[in-house]
Amino acid sequence: EKAGYEHFMMKEIQEQPKAVLDTLNSVIKDGQIDLSELGLDEEEIRKISQIYVVACGSAYHVGVAAQYVIEDLARIPVRVELASEFRYRKPILDPNGLVIIISQSGETADSLAALREAKSKGIRTLAIVNVVGSSIAREADNVFYTLAGPEISVATTKAYSTQLIAAYCLAVQFALTRGEITEEYYTELIAEMQTIPDKIRKVLADKERIQWFAAKQANAKDIFFIGRGLDYAISLEGSLKMKEISYIHSEAYAAGELKHGTISLLEDNTLVIGVLTQADLYEKTLSNMVECKSRGAYLCAVTSYGNYSMEDTADFVTYIPKTDAHFATSLAVIPLQLMGYYVSVAKGLDVDKPRNLAKSVTVE
Ligand code: M6R
């Protein structure tokens, strides 16, 4: 079943190019995104006044990325909420809003309850779900199926990657329909999305270097992930992967927040992983990394090819191919998944079934 791999997680990491391609192919027809099966016609897309993305864990991290991408491209205000908070805080929902529930399993208790809460208020719901026929898929008004195939490892990888693709497709199509982007940019964005599978393959080809680096971090006590904008969204996911399967305490911070507390935690050789894929924020995060270094941190950076000056500051740099800034999350997450995986392997832990965790959390 593991097709020759030692763990399901590695098998699923390697399946990402195909999972992403299948998901893209399910909605891109003749170079256009077709959302007609989601029951969202142009009229309705134009009417959306507010989007609420509600989810748990990694699916919530997709929501954080989706917020940046949808707001930037489609200019629709987006709120992202943890399902366990949303369901109990008596949310005030705009009747012309759209609630998007994201869930791999479609069975997460809090996400299902949040969906029911939204439905009881008469607001339109759309679920991004991987498991066909699951409770969330059955109850939502409409479903965008991710085509990741069965995911066995508790730590999500390929489902996360396909959820991101679903979010990009919504953002790009909403942007065109609402007149926020030109036809030309729309075509470019779609063409760029179609290059993601190959670019993921490229990042995966560099896995031995990451394995080497990760093996040296097995004794780390704390790891900090920092980034700005979409790089903050990726940091959240990188940090969760790390703590979930390697049992190393780790935190993700918006890089600008370091000075507001966190930096006092840095000691000699504390590992700080900076994510720098957003050109307009590069210098800002770089200066935060320099600050960490001067407090003794050991620095790793994930950045795009071309940013070679990063090697003057960081102790270890891993590069991702260039892409449209909105889609960089899909590439930068790969080295972070690999780091979590290889640290866990180096520590001899049960990668696919980390202690105290379940694949699908059906109790609140
Ligand atoms: O099945 P779901 O996508 O609703 O699950 C949500 C979270 O439980 C899940 O993403 C969890 O955080 C993963 N174990 C992370 O790798």
PDB file of all heavy atoms in Angstrom, residues 56-59 103-105 108 154-156 240-241 244 361, ligand 1:
ATOM      1  N   CYS A  56     -10.324  23.920  10.587  1.00  0.00           N
ATOM      2  CA  CYS A  56      -9.453  23.567  11.721  1.00  0.00           C
ATOM      3  C   CYS A  56      -8.066  23.171  11.193  1.00  0.00           C
ATOM      4  O   CYS A  56      -7.940  22.661  10.078  1.00  0.00           O
ATOM      5  CB  CYS A  56      -9.995  22.351  12.459  1.00  0.00           C
ATOM      6  SG  CYS A  56     -11.657  22.557  13.100  1.00  0.00           S
ATOM      7  N   GLY A  57      -7.070  23.341  12.021  1.00  0.00           N
ATOM      8  CA  GLY A  57      -5.729  22.825  11.739  1.00  0.00           C
ATOM      9  C   GLY A  57      -5.163  23.328  10.425  1.00  0.00           C
ATOM     10  O   GLY A  57      -5.225  24.516  10.096  1.00  0.00           O
ATOM     11  N   SER A  58      -4.633  22.389   9.638  1.00  0.00           N
ATOM     12  CA  SER A  58      -4.011  22.781   8.365  1.00  0.00           C
ATOM     13  C   SER A  58      -5.024  23.416   7.416  1.00  0.00           C
ATOM     14  O   SER A  58      -4.679  24.297   6.632  1.00  0.00           O
ATOM     15  CB  SER A  58      -3.400  21.558   7.685  1.00  0.00           C
ATOM     16  OG  SER A  58      -2.317  21.096   8.433  1.00  0.00           O
ATOM     17  N   ALA A  59      -6.261  22.949   7.471  1.00  0.00           N
ATOM     18  CA  ALA A  59      -7.285  23.513   6.593  1.00  0.00           C
ATOM     19  C   ALA A  59      -7.503  24.991   6.952  1.00  0.00           C
ATOM     20  O   ALA A  59      -7.743  25.835   6.078  1.00  0.00           O
ATOM     21  CB  ALA A  59      -8.584  22.719   6.721  1.00  0.00           C
ATOM     22  N   SER A 103     -12.257  21.198   4.609  1.00  0.00           N
ATOM     23  CA  SER A 103     -11.993  19.994   5.407  1.00  0.00           C
ATOM     24  C   SER A 103     -11.575  18.830   4.513  1.00  0.00           C
ATOM     25  O   SER A 103     -12.276  18.508   3.553  1.00  0.00           O
ATOM     26  CB  SER A 103     -13.257  19.612   6.184  1.00  0.00           C
ATOM     27  OG  SER A 103     -13.064  18.396   6.873  1.00  0.00           O
ATOM     28  N   GLN A 104     -10.455  18.219   4.830  1.00  0.00           N
ATOM     29  CA  GLN A 104     -10.034  17.039   4.078  1.00  0.00           C
ATOM     30  C   GLN A 104     -11.047  15.918   4.283  1.00  0.00           C
ATOM     31  O   GLN A 104     -11.583  15.370   3.332  1.00  0.00           O
ATOM     32  CB  GLN A 104      -8.633  16.607   4.557  1.00  0.00           C
ATOM     33  CG  GLN A 104      -7.980  15.453   3.792  1.00  0.00           C
ATOM     34  CD  GLN A 104      -8.536  14.077   4.076  1.00  0.00           C
ATOM     35  OE1 GLN A 104      -8.882  13.348   3.146  1.00  0.00           O
ATOM     36  NE2 GLN A 104      -8.685  13.715   5.322  1.00  0.00           N
ATOM     37  N   SER A 105     -11.273  15.579   5.561  1.00  0.00           N
ATOM     38  CA  SER A 105     -12.105  14.410   5.881  1.00  0.00           C
ATOM     39  C   SER A 105     -13.587  14.659   5.646  1.00  0.00           C
ATOM     40  O   SER A 105     -14.351  13.737   5.377  1.00  0.00           O
ATOM     41  CB  SER A 105     -11.910  14.034   7.351  1.00  0.00           C
ATOM     42  OG  SER A 105     -12.341  15.107   8.178  1.00  0.00           O
ATOM     43  N   THR A 108     -14.815  16.549  10.383  1.00  0.00           N
ATOM     44  CA  THR A 108     -14.334  17.251  11.577  1.00  0.00           C
ATOM     45  C   THR A 108     -15.514  17.880  12.330  1.00  0.00           C
ATOM     46  O   THR A 108     -16.284  18.672  11.759  1.00  0.00           O
ATOM     47  CB  THR A 108     -13.306  18.322  11.165  1.00  0.00           C
ATOM     48  OG1 THR A 108     -12.239  17.641  10.508  1.00  0.00           O
ATOM     49  CG2 THR A 108     -12.778  19.101  12.349  1.00  0.00           C
ATOM     50  N   VAL A 154      -1.544  10.958   9.262  1.00  0.00           N
ATOM     51  CA  VAL A 154      -2.259  11.946  10.085  1.00  0.00           C
ATOM     52  C   VAL A 154      -1.871  13.367   9.667  1.00  0.00           C
ATOM     53  O   VAL A 154      -2.707  14.263   9.589  1.00  0.00           O
ATOM     54  CB  VAL A 154      -1.988  11.695  11.593  1.00  0.00           C
ATOM     55  CG1 VAL A 154      -2.398  12.901  12.426  1.00  0.00           C
ATOM     56  CG2 VAL A 154      -2.746  10.449  12.057  1.00  0.00           C
ATOM     57  N   ALA A 155      -0.599  13.570   9.399  1.00  0.00           N
ATOM     58  CA  ALA A 155      -0.147  14.901   8.956  1.00  0.00           C
ATOM     59  C   ALA A 155      -0.554  15.095   7.503  1.00  0.00           C
ATOM     60  O   ALA A 155      -0.145  14.349   6.626  1.00  0.00           O
ATOM     61  CB  ALA A 155       1.357  15.018   9.096  1.00  0.00           C
ATOM     62  N   THR A 156      -1.367  16.100   7.264  1.00  0.00           N
ATOM     63  CA  THR A 156      -1.844  16.310   5.895  1.00  0.00           C
ATOM     64  C   THR A 156      -0.767  16.962   5.030  1.00  0.00           C
ATOM     65  O   THR A 156      -0.031  17.836   5.487  1.00  0.00           O
ATOM     66  CB  THR A 156      -3.131  17.158   5.877  1.00  0.00           C
ATOM     67  OG1 THR A 156      -3.569  17.294   4.526  1.00  0.00           O
ATOM     68  CG2 THR A 156      -2.898  18.541   6.454  1.00  0.00           C
ATOM     69  N   LEU A 240       3.174  23.780  12.232  1.00  0.00           N
ATOM     70  CA  LEU A 240       2.284  22.689  12.656  1.00  0.00           C
ATOM     71  C   LEU A 240       2.851  21.333  12.224  1.00  0.00           C
ATOM     72  O   LEU A 240       2.861  20.373  13.004  1.00  0.00           O
ATOM     73  CB  LEU A 240       0.867  22.883  12.097  1.00  0.00           C
ATOM     74  CG  LEU A 240      -0.145  21.782  12.461  1.00  0.00           C
ATOM     75  CD1 LEU A 240      -0.304  21.628  13.975  1.00  0.00           C
ATOM     76  CD2 LEU A 240      -1.505  22.043  11.833  1.00  0.00           C
ATOM     77  N   LYS A 241       3.354  21.255  10.989  1.00  0.00           N
ATOM     78  CA  LYS A 241       3.946  19.994  10.523  1.00  0.00           C
ATOM     79  C   LYS A 241       5.052  19.583  11.486  1.00  0.00           C
ATOM     80  O   LYS A 241       5.148  18.430  11.895  1.00  0.00           O
ATOM     81  CB  LYS A 241       4.551  20.124   9.117  1.00  0.00           C
ATOM     82  CG  LYS A 241       3.592  20.248   7.976  1.00  0.00           C
ATOM     83  CD  LYS A 241       2.966  18.943   7.522  1.00  0.00           C
ATOM     84  CE  LYS A 241       1.675  18.659   8.219  1.00  0.00           C
ATOM     85  NZ  LYS A 241       0.487  19.313   7.772  1.00  0.00           N
ATOM     86  N   GLU A 244       3.705  18.573  15.093  1.00  0.00           N
ATOM     87  CA  GLU A 244       2.811  17.417  15.045  1.00  0.00           C
ATOM     88  C   GLU A 244       3.570  16.089  14.917  1.00  0.00           C
ATOM     89  O   GLU A 244       3.264  15.132  15.623  1.00  0.00           O
ATOM     90  CB  GLU A 244       1.883  17.656  13.849  1.00  0.00           C
ATOM     91  CG  GLU A 244       1.013  16.562  13.393  1.00  0.00           C
ATOM     92  CD  GLU A 244       0.033  17.032  12.304  1.00  0.00           C
ATOM     93  OE1 GLU A 244       0.427  17.718  11.328  1.00  0.00           O
ATOM     94  OE2 GLU A 244      -1.129  16.682  12.420  1.00  0.00           O
ATOM     95  N   VAL A 361     -10.957  14.207  13.302  1.00  0.00           N
ATOM     96  CA  VAL A 361     -11.312  14.580  14.668  1.00  0.00           C
ATOM     97  C   VAL A 361     -12.822  14.762  14.756  1.00  0.00           C
ATOM     98  O   VAL A 361     -13.355  15.838  14.511  1.00  0.00           O
ATOM     99  CB  VAL A 361     -10.551  15.860  15.097  1.00  0.00           C
ATOM    100  CG1 VAL A 361     -10.835  16.193  16.561  1.00  0.00           C
ATOM    101  CG2 VAL A 361      -9.051  15.668  14.906  1.00  0.00           C
TER     102      VAL A 361
HETATM  103  O1  M6R B   1     -10.186  16.646   7.975  1.00  0.00           O
HETATM  104  P1  M6R B   1      -9.930  18.107   8.242  1.00  0.00           P
HETATM  105  O2  M6R B   1      -9.257  18.782   7.095  1.00  0.00           O
HETATM  106  O3  M6R B   1     -11.172  18.840   8.653  1.00  0.00           O
HETATM  107  O4  M6R B   1      -8.930  18.127   9.452  1.00  0.00           O
HETATM  108  C1  M6R B   1      -8.565  19.345  10.048  1.00  0.00           C
HETATM  109  C2  M6R B   1      -7.391  19.146  10.974  1.00  0.00           C
HETATM  110  O5  M6R B   1      -7.695  18.202  11.972  1.00  0.00           O
HETATM  111  C3  M6R B   1      -6.139  18.684  10.217  1.00  0.00           C
HETATM  112  O6  M6R B   1      -5.782  19.577   9.206  1.00  0.00           O
HETATM  113  C4  M6R B   1      -4.946  18.529  11.180  1.00  0.00           C
HETATM  114  O7  M6R B   1      -4.549  19.782  11.657  1.00  0.00           O
HETATM  115  C5  M6R B   1      -3.815  17.801  10.480  1.00  0.00           C
HETATM  116  N1  M6R B   1      -3.399  16.674  11.273  1.00  0.00           N
HETATM  117  C6  M6R B   1      -2.613  18.629  10.208  1.00  0.00           C
HETATM  118  O8  M6R B   1      -1.603  17.920   9.573  1.00  0.00           O
END
